[in-house]
Each structure stands twice: as C-alpha cells, then as structure tokens.
Amino acid sequence: MARNPQSTASIAGHPIHPMLIPFPIAFFVATFVCDLIFWRTGNPGWVTASLWLLGAGLIMAALAALAGLTDFLGDVQIRNLSDAWLHAGGNVLVVLVELYNWYSRYIHGETAVMPTGLVLSLIVVLILPFTGWKGWEMVYRHRVGVADDPSEVRRR
C-alpha cells in the first residue's frame, strides 16, 4: 500500500496550512461584507475596516501560502495532483486580486471601493469556494497530510 502524501510543514504531525487558511478566507469575506455595507450606507468607517481586513488577509494568506508551498515542494505526490495545481493557482489569483484591491484602496481611499473594490471583493468571494473545494479534495480524496498510521504521529 502506498503512503499518503505528507505535509512537510507540520507541528507534532499536524499540518500547518489548514490551521492558517481560515484566517484569510474570513478576512476576505468580511472585506466583501464591509464593501456591501459601505455601498448601502456611505459610512467611510467601513472603508477603513475593509482596508485593515484586506491587509490582515494578505498577511495571513502569505503565511498560509508559505506552509502550502512547503508541502507542495516537499512531496512529489502532491505536485503530481492536478487538484494541488488548481488549488494553488486559484489562490495565487485571489492574492493578486486582493493585493491590487488593497493597494488601490490605500492610494485612492473611498473612491476605490465603488464599484471597483466591491467587484474585486465579489470576484474573490466567488473564487474561494472553488479553491477550498480543491483543497479539501486533496485531503479527502488524495489523503494529503493524513497520517498513514495515526498511532505513529510524532509528539514533539
């Protein structure tokens, strides 16, 4: 029986990437929500909130990407999965869109939100379910990061 693809970025046998990914997802979805509220209310506080959420999302996405890239490069079985390439490529697209979104808001303030920032946030929110699906395909179908024998998980 072949071994499961291993997570090389892990703590005590627990993969780091899945521990980090909820944060950028939550921050990017919250950015979209803030954009919607700004659209309806015109209250500039929501623009400030969205700028901070985008910044936090990008920082956490970078950390998650670093862990994911470590896993990707650390096991050839992962690199051979088309789901891994689609997951990574979709998330790179998300980060590039949000990086532009953050920069535009930082430079132009409120004027960057309507309609461009709102549309960019919507695009990201629509891409995230696809990349999340591909990520879970790697775990549930291809068993990436799943211990071959849970009793052998190292306790460091």
Side-chain angles (χ1 to χ4, degrees):
M1 184 167 132
R3 71 170 183 80
N4 292 334
Q6 299 300 302
S7 172
T8 50
S10 62
I11 299 171
H14 298 280
I16 296 171
H17 181 71
M19 293 182 214
L20 297 175
I21 55 173
F23 294 99
I25 293 168
F27 291 141
F28 293 156
V29 171
T31 296
F32 177 62
V33 171
C34 287
D35 289 351
L36 289 172
I37 296 171
F38 174 69
W39 174 44
R40 300 306 299 156
T41 68
N43 182 334
W46 294 105
V47 175
T48 302
S50 70
L51 183 66
W52 282 97
L53 286 164
L54 277 170
L58 287 166
I59 290 167
M60 293 306 296
L63 293 172
L66 184 60
L69 182 61
T70 301
D71 290 344
F72 185 82
L73 295 175
D75 191 324
V76 70
Q77 288 184 83
I78 297 173
R79 290 192 304 277
N80 288 336
L81 298 173
S82 63
D83 286 332
W85 288 93
L86 291 169
H87 175 73
N91 284 321
V92 166
L93 179 60
V94 162
V95 168
L96 291 174
V97 169
E98 292 295 47
L99 189 60
Y100 174 79
N101 204 358
W102 180 86
Y103 178 76
S104 179
R105 291 164 193 247
Y106 182 76
I107 297 300
H108 303 292
E110 288 180 35
T111 60
V113 178
M114 292 306 302
T116 306
L118 176 67
V119 170
L120 293 175
S121 293
L122 174 62
I123 290 168
V124 164
V125 167
L126 294 174
I127 294 171
L128 286 173
F130 172 78
T131 60
W133 182 278
K134 290 301 173 186
W136 282 110
E137 287 282 305
M138 290 189 299
V139 174
Y140 287 112
R141 291 199 190 279
H142 306 293
R143 303 184 57 79
V144 171
V146 176
D148 293 313
D149 180 359
S151 66
E152 294 179 10
V153 174
R154 292 176 292 196
R155 308 273 184 214
R156 290 193 235 189

